[in-house]
Amino acid sequence: MPLKRILAVFLVALLVVNTVAESPYRFFEWNVTYGTIWPLGLPQKGILINGQFPGPDIVSVTNDNVIINVFNNLDEPFLLTWNGIQNRRNSFEDGVWGTTCPIPPGKNFTYILQVKDQIGSFFYFPSTGFHKAAGGFGGFRILSRPGIPVPFDEPAGDFTVLIGDWYKSNHTYLKSILDRNHKLPFVDSILINGHGPQGPNRASFTVDQGKTYRLRISNVGLEHSLNFRIEGHKMKLVEVEGTHTMQETYSSLDVHVGQSYSVLITADQAPRDYHIVVSNRFSSILLTTTGVLHYSNSNQEVTGPPPGGPTSEIGWSLNQARSIRTNLTASGPRPNPQGSYHYGMINTTRTIRLANSAGQVNGKQRYAINSVSFVPTKSNTPLKLADYFKIGGFTPGNIPDAPTGKGIYLDTSVLQTDYRTFIEIVFENKEGIVQSWHLNGYAFWVVGMDGGKWSPASRDQYNLRDAVSRITTQVYPRSWTAIYIALDNVGMWNLRSEFWARQYLGQQLYMRVYTTSTSWRDEYPIPINALLCGDVAGRHKRPL
């Protein structure tokens, strides 16, 4: 066995003693490389995991310890983040620049994740170097523990469906455009599980007539909201990012960037092949990619034009979003669906209004939240490490709680919040785009969304009974979306636009969840194999 693998196994053995011993372990070893991919019929340089594009699925069960040993064989630093995995009390493993040092070329890092008290459909993707435009993404599902009831019968099959917009250009070229602080051009196409719209290599899913299947649909793209539909088939929504939902039926479903949905479909049509259609939304340029729902006893290939879907209708999408509600009678990770409290019966202690904006700083394109465009610390030290080792380099609370109307300026924006409080965040979008926001480390209740300007009177229309709890929410053009969050996960967490060029050029911040009374008992210690970089590299020892 090579020496570096022996060391990796030894480190995992040491790490195991610090995790929850009674929970099962699932081990993965991933080799990250560049390779030639052909999603649009032309060769491109893509990121492969164990030779696969997209990467392999992670299948786990509630409370499992998921051990992923990642070998970076690229020629540049690499980092994976786990979209929706809460990493409770352990933001060191979160996999974004502000919490975790990238894996240097030729080195490896072992992620130690525990999917504590979670179920549902999520995904992972690379978070640095605009690698997301090259691949390296895959599905991450968390199944319910045996004995915990699920509010639908076991499906005959369970498919991961990764959809997203895509460029023909190499990710390094796209990154160079952003590094010059310019906007990216319009995307070239849409992919379904790494397949574009051309030729016989479209994505295909085989089903048996009369049986029901689960599709876990995630928008892993860079910018565009997408509409998903299947010719001749209805979709029953059953789960959204870890929450069992009321089982509404839809003919098509809007999936915004960073979002994941589980639907059930029944193969109840005549035995032939049917179009699976994904198209972009809210744009003057319409892109469409099709896959195939193949009946195993089919005697006819897919024919005719794919069914049309919504294009620019905001109201249609808003009404659909409001129809997605929590199934209050369903169990979640535990048998008791509501736990010890209900979100609608708790008073919030703080309201934070966050407004996205775009503009120029010194003649260069930037994107901001409350006028602050995020930049890393000068030493490129992850904020979590700088905080842990008390070396400074950033100022908690340096972003205002409400829009100021000022011009955009650069800073390492960190929102200071108090551990174990219950807060309201209102996302305000005065731009003409659909925005998408994600918060690492948490799920939040989407209590309201509407057009126009938010005011305290807007709370009168909040859903305080069965709002869906999720990890990513959209904000429609010239509209607002309000969320409630119970800040019960201590650490440093990334709040970002899921429009990846906007995130790259500053539309993100970090939320520091601590109080003066927070102690080491509230948070796991730094992992003994944690990479150190920036100002802490070579200067600090990891405590055992």
Side-chain angles (χ1 to χ4, degrees), residues 166-178:
W166 191 258
Y167 285 94
K168 294 178 181 178
S169 301
N170 188 288
H171 78 281
T172 54
Y173 171 72
L174 299 173
K175 180 177 178 293
S176 72
I177 295 175
L178 295 173

Side-chain angles (χ1 to χ4, degrees), residues 64-86:
D64 279 355
N65 295 290
V66 180
I67 316 299
I68 310 166
N69 191 12
V70 178
F71 289 84
N72 177 17
N73 289 297
L74 308 183
D75 56 1
E76 55 187 328
F78 181 78
L79 192 58
L80 286 168
T81 190
W82 319 95
N83 209 66
I85 307 306
Q86 293 181 12

Side-chain angles (χ1 to χ4, degrees), residues 250-521:
Y250 302 100
S251 57
S252 70
L253 190 63
D254 276 355
V255 187
H256 304 276
V257 186
Q259 292 185 340
S260 297
Y261 292 87
S262 277
V263 300
L264 298 179
I265 63 163
T266 299
D268 55 4
Q269 301 299 303
R272 65 177 182 87
D273 291 357
Y274 295 85
H275 288 289
I276 296 174
V277 189
V278 182
S279 56
N280 63 320
R281 294 280 270 122
F282 320 118
S283 172
S284 59
I285 302 174
L286 182 63
L287 300 174
T288 299
T289 286
T290 61
V292 176
L293 184 71
H294 170 69
Y295 278 52
S296 59
N297 60 339
S298 170
N299 54 20
Q300 180 181 342
E301 293 185 354
V302 66
T303 58
T311 54
S312 59
E313 303 89 340
I314 297 292
W316 184 96
S317 188
L318 175 61
N319 288 333
Q320 182 178 85
R322 287 171 170 165
S323 73
I324 299 172
R325 297 168 295 135
T326 296
N327 184 342
L328 296 179
T329 64
S331 296
R334 311 182 195 90
N336 55 324
Q338 288 300 325
S340 59
Y341 66 89
H342 187 278
Y343 75 94
M345 301 176 66
I346 303 175
N347 292 326
T348 57
T349 58
R350 182 179 177 187
T351 295
I352 300 168
R353 295 165 47 216
L354 300 176
N356 50 277
S357 60
Q360 301 278 314
V361 177
N362 299 323
K364 296 181 178 180
Q365 182 65 43
R366 297 295 299 184
Y367 301 96
I369 303 173
N370 287 0
S371 299
V372 187
S373 185
F374 183 89
V375 289
T377 58
K378 292 181 179 179
S379 65
N380 274 320
T381 305
L383 302 178
K384 179 61 188 168
L385 294 182
D387 207 29
Y388 184 87
F389 289 110
K390 297 179 172 36
I391 64 171
F394 68 96
T395 305
N398 63 347
I399 182 169
D401 275 16
T404 63
K406 296 181 179 178
I408 294 175
Y409 62 95
L410 308 180
D411 202 353
T412 306
S413 42
V414 177
L415 184 66
Q416 176 61 46
T417 58
D418 289 339
Y419 181 41
R420 293 177 178 154
T421 57
F422 193 74
I423 69 170
E424 173 187 42
I425 293 181
V426 181
F427 296 106
E428 300 180 353
N429 179 17
K430 295 181 180 180
E431 298 185 74
I433 62 167
V434 176
Q435 181 62 275
S436 187
W437 293 102
H438 174 87
L439 175 60
N440 281 11
Y442 285 93
F444 47 74
W445 291 275
V446 183
V447 294
M449 57 176 63
D450 204 355
K453 184 178 180 180
W454 181 90
S455 72
S458 302
R459 297 187 180 114
D460 293 341
Q461 61 176 282
Y462 282 6
N463 178 356
L464 299 183
R465 182 178 183 272
D466 58 0
V468 68
S469 174
R470 62 184 313 165
I471 61 172
T472 305
T473 188
Q474 70 274 28
V475 190
Y476 292 101
R478 290 171 281 278
S479 301
W480 57 267
T481 295
I483 65 174
Y484 281 176
I485 312 173
L487 295 179
D488 59 356
N489 194 12
V490 66
M492 187 83 71
W493 305 103
N494 187 226
L495 190 156
R496 61 176 179 263
S497 170
E498 286 284 39
F499 286 20
W500 213 241
R502 284 181 167 244
Q503 180 271 353
Y504 190 87
L505 293 181
Q507 205 156 80
Q508 61 172 311
L509 57 81
Y510 283 83
M511 195 162 74
R512 186 180 186 271
V513 186
Y514 292 99
T515 65
T516 54
S517 62
T518 299
S519 72
W520 64 268
R521 295 178 183 86

